[in-house]
Amino acid sequence: MGTVQSPAATTGGRRLLQNQYYLYLTEFFAGMAVMAVEIGAQRLISPYFSSSQIVWTIIIGMIMITMAGGNVYGGKMADKDPNPDKLYGRILIAALWLALIPFLGKYVIVGISAAIIFSVDANYLILAAFATCLLLFVFPLFLLGTVTPSLAKYTMDSLSDNGKIVGTLGAMNTLGSIIGTFLPTFVTIPAVGTNLTFLLFSGILLLLAAVYFLSLGKGLRRLGLSVLLFVAACLLGYRTDFAFWESREGLLYEGESVYNYLRVQDSPKRTVLSTNVLFGVQSVLEKTDNLTGMYYDYALAAPFLTQTGTQKAQDVLILGMGSGTYARQLLRYLPGTKVAGVEIDRKITDLAHEYFQLPAQVPVTEYDGRAYLNEDHRTYDVIMVDAYQDITIPFQMSSVEFFQSVRQHLKPGGVLVVNLNMHGTEQGGIADWLADTVAGVFPEVLTVDVPGNTNRELFAGDRDLKASLAQNSQAVQDSQLKDLLASIGDRAVMYHSGGRKLTDDKAPVELLGMQELDGLIRKETEEYKEIYRNEGIKGLLKVL
């Protein structure tokens, strides 16, 4: 038996359809939602696949293709069946799909990652990002892509006003897109996070559809069910962690800044800051106040490589301060060192003061590292570059022009130290390109691999660095530090350039980093792949 509509509801529905302002409002919020989803997609994916240009390109490309397909389909459907019920029904479905992403999205991403790692031998990042976009974002954005041609059909009264109508719809879509770009980036994601950002814009779309169906007095059962599903999605997705498989025991902080996903985990031995749930840690606070066993210790060799050694207090600049582990190590083992830092993410600096004991006397400037050098006229004994995360390597801080600027900011006999977070599984990888680029600026380059992880420390200067290390480390009193410096001296390798060079004009750091990541993943997963080949999924589950 069909639903009987009241005369009042039918009249209200007609008024709403005749009111072009509501249709323009629909266009505005649809455009806003599309861009908000694009920004949110990048933030959802970045903690797993990095925030590199590769990931951005895949997201933007997939969304554009999807929107184009939606435009074509929406136009055909509007001509075939010019019924606004169908359009607002599609908006309702898109809203519910987006509402489920905060809850289901992370499980989908991890499942895709595992499947691809065990299925292919290269291009993990590209394939995983493509598959994620395909499964999570293509369908709802395809539905939102049908909005513009459908509304053009409903709002045109005659051919004489079609130019004005299309122009107004385009303007409303553009205005909504602008707000949908800035609002998540600068307001909702830093304030409430990616999950609530998805839920917020999903709710806006749901409200648009609800007003339409309520005004007509039909589709109320479907609308009620949709509201219940939306509420359930909010409850399930609101608190879903990015690293959902990790124990929450010792979790001190999880949140997002304008630039990063941030997670602070505490244990009896250390406090750890992670900016990526799959590619290791960003900073560490050792509670024993000893050496960390990580690359920060190896970077301590830099002051001993300078012309004056540690005979006088040295000026050190850290580009990429993070939580300040290197700064603390310098002050711990070389009292009197004057340390200044640059960190583009203010939230990381706040966490450094709150959880990682960053000394108050260490000034930290919120700025891009290279832009800071362009404005800074001081010189330093040591400049530490620690701005590379996973494969997210800022090209402007990897070029020959950047390292020339670094050299200009070093005192005579000063030293550059660079933390290369992927030390290379094959020749000609990103680490070799960066080392070659540095070697094109500095006459002397030393490298030393950090045991137990993928980091490589690179030291560069204008004199015999190994001789300086041997001479300047003789007076060290701390036995741990003395042994470490001796080990570095034994293991450091003089780097001979292969002639490769990254420039401001040509620096394919994302592709090189991706190739390096492929090699690291192959190396780390080979044992598990062998178990899977020999024993199948049961054998693999036993090991895991």
Side-chain angles (χ1 to χ4, degrees):
M1 184 174 180
T3 301
V4 178
Q5 300 179 43
S6 68
T10 305
T11 302
R14 283 200 300 265
R15 282 201 300 265
L16 185 67
L17 290 177
Q18 292 169 359
N19 185 351
Q20 291 187 346
Y21 290 109
Y22 187 75
L23 301 180
Y24 291 146
L25 198 65
T26 300
E27 181 72 28
F28 174 84
F29 283 116
M32 180 190 293
V34 168
M35 291 309 301
V37 170
E38 184 171 332
I39 300 297
Q42 188 270 337
R43 292 306 297 260
L44 185 73
I45 291 175
S46 290
Y48 305 95
F49 303 143
S50 85
S51 58
S52 69
Q53 188 179 15
I54 291 173
V55 172
W56 263 119
T57 299
I58 291 170
I59 292 172
I60 294 172
M62 291 287 283
I63 288 176
M64 291 180 70
I65 293 171
T66 300
M67 293 299 292
N71 288 164
V72 174
Y73 178 79
K76 288 183 177 180
M77 291 302 296
D79 287 337
K80 182 179 180 180
D81 184 10
N83 182 359
D85 292 5
K86 301 292 181 66
L87 170 64
Y88 285 95
R90 292 194 292 267
I91 292 176
L92 187 63
I93 294 172
L96 293 176
W97 188 286
L98 295 177
L100 289 171
I101 286 177
F103 171 59
L104 296 176
K106 296 156 187 132
Y107 298 96
V108 171
I109 291 172
V110 172
I112 287 171
S113 301
I116 287 177
I117 284 174
F118 280 92
S119 302
V120 301
D121 291 321
N123 299 318
Y124 301 103
L125 185 68
I126 291 177
L127 294 173
F130 263 120
T132 297
C133 287
L134 186 64
L135 290 179
L136 290 182
F137 306 114
V138 162
F139 181 65
L141 291 176
F142 177 84
L143 296 179
L144 292 179
T146 68
V147 170
T148 298
S150 298
L151 290 178
K153 183 75 173 182
Y154 308 146
T155 51
M156 285 185 188
D157 295 325
S158 66
L159 292 177
S160 63
D161 65 352
N162 61 350
K164 176 185 174 182
I165 294 297
V166 171
T168 305
L169 286 172
M172 296 304 291
N173 184 279
T174 301
L175 288 174
S177 298
I178 292 171
I179 295 176
T181 300
F182 286 97
L183 193 62
T185 300
F186 294 105
V187 180
T188 63
I189 290 177
V192 299
T194 300
N195 287 347
L196 283 181
T197 295
F198 272 107
L199 294 173
L200 171 64
F201 288 94
S202 170
I204 291 173
L205 294 175
L206 180 65
L207 183 60
L208 275 174
V211 169
Y212 172 79
F213 287 114
L214 287 172
S215 70
L216 294 179
K218 62 179 180 179
L220 300 184
R221 183 177 299 176
R222 178 174 59 171
L223 182 60
L225 183 60
S226 298
V227 171
L228 289 176
L229 185 57
F230 176 76
V231 171
C234 289
L235 295 175
L236 291 170
Y238 169 60
R239 296 295 301 171
T240 305
D241 294 339
F242 281 87
F244 56 85
W245 59 88
E246 296 278 0
S247 169
R248 292 189 65 85
E249 182 179 356
L251 182 64
L252 300 179
Y253 176 86
E254 184 178 43
E256 296 171 81
S257 68
V258 173
Y259 300 97
N260 290 293
Y261 157 77
L262 301 166
R263 180 183 177 93
V264 179
Q265 194 91 18
D266 190 51
S267 71
K269 293 184 178 180
R270 56 176 54 179
T271 303
V272 173
L273 170 66
S274 301
T275 56
N276 190 301
V277 299
L278 296 181
F279 297 132
V281 302
Q282 201 266 359
S283 295
V284 172
L285 170 64
E286 289 286 349
K287 296 183 178 180
T288 58
D289 201 28
N290 293 324
L291 294 171
T292 65
M294 300 179 69
Y295 73 87
Y296 315 103
D297 302 344
Y298 284 72
L300 283 174
F304 296 91
L305 300 174
T306 62
Q307 185 172 334
T308 58
T310 57
Q311 299 174 14
K312 67 178 185 66
Q314 295 200 13
D315 293 310
V316 178
L317 175 65
I318 304 173
L319 301 179
M321 173 64 86
S323 69
T325 304
Y326 185 50
R328 288 194 310 275
Q329 294 291 81
L330 286 169
L331 296 176
R332 159 76 170 80
Y333 289 98
L334 297 171
T337 303
K338 299 175 183 177
V339 184
V342 180
E343 173 58 56
I344 196 170
D345 194 335
R346 175 72 185 189
K347 186 61 181 179
I348 289 181
T349 303
D350 293 339
L351 294 176
H353 286 294
E354 184 173 358
Y355 298 113
F356 293 87
Q357 302 175 12
L358 177 65
Q361 72 265 31
V362 177
V364 182
T365 302
E366 183 184 353
Y367 220 53
D368 173 81
R370 180 165 177 180
Y372 180 85
L373 286 183
N374 292 338
E375 301 297 329
D376 186 21
H377 301 293
R378 291 167 293 182
T379 56
Y380 303 88
D381 297 289
V382 174
I383 295 180
M384 165 69 154
V385 177
D386 191 15
Y388 309 151
Q389 299 183 73
D390 47 78
I391 71 163
T392 308
I393 298 176
F395 83 93
Q396 78 275 12
M397 294 184 67
S398 62
S399 66
V400 64
E401 292 88 350
F402 167 69
F403 291 114
Q404 287 170 345
S405 178
V406 169
R407 186 174 186 183
Q408 292 168 4
H409 284 79
L410 287 172
K411 296 178 182 180
V415 168
L416 161 70
V417 54
V418 182
N419 175 45
L420 305 177
N421 61 333
M422 294 189 289
H423 61 56
T425 57
E426 301 175 356
Q427 286 190 341
I430 182 64
D432 290 340
W433 275 82
L434 286 166
D436 281 1
T437 302
V438 173
V441 176
F442 292 87
E444 179 92 358
V445 175
L446 287 180
T447 64
V448 56
D449 289 345
V450 180
N453 57 51
T454 63
N455 292 76
R456 171 182 293 170
E457 293 306 289
L458 180 149
F459 304 94
D462 58 6
R463 55 202 310 273
D464 190 335
L465 298 181
K466 293 194 76 169
S468 297
L469 178 62
Q471 179 181 344
N472 294 328
S473 62
Q474 291 178 2
V476 175
Q477 299 298 315
D478 186 281
S479 60
Q480 277 192 319
L481 181 59
K482 194 175 185 70
D483 290 344
L484 173 66
L485 294 175
S487 174
I488 291 173
D490 292 338
R491 297 175 56 245
V493 176
M494 180 75 66
Y495 187 80
H496 299 287
S497 176
R500 293 165 284 245
K501 183 168 66 173
L502 300 169
T503 69
D504 285 347
D505 178 59
K506 185 180 179 182
V509 290
E510 290 89 359
L511 292 175
L512 291 168
M514 186 190 67
Q515 294 168 7
E516 194 63 52
L517 184 63
D518 284 347
L520 291 172
I521 292 175
R522 279 195 297 269
K523 182 179 179 181
E524 293 295 325
T525 59
E526 183 54 41
E527 177 184 353
Y528 299 103
K529 286 184 177 180
E530 187 64 27
I531 293 173
Y532 177 73
R533 284 192 290 266
N534 294 332
E535 304 178 33
I537 189 67
K538 290 184 178 180
L540 185 62
L541 290 175
K542 288 181 182 178
V543 175
L544 297 176

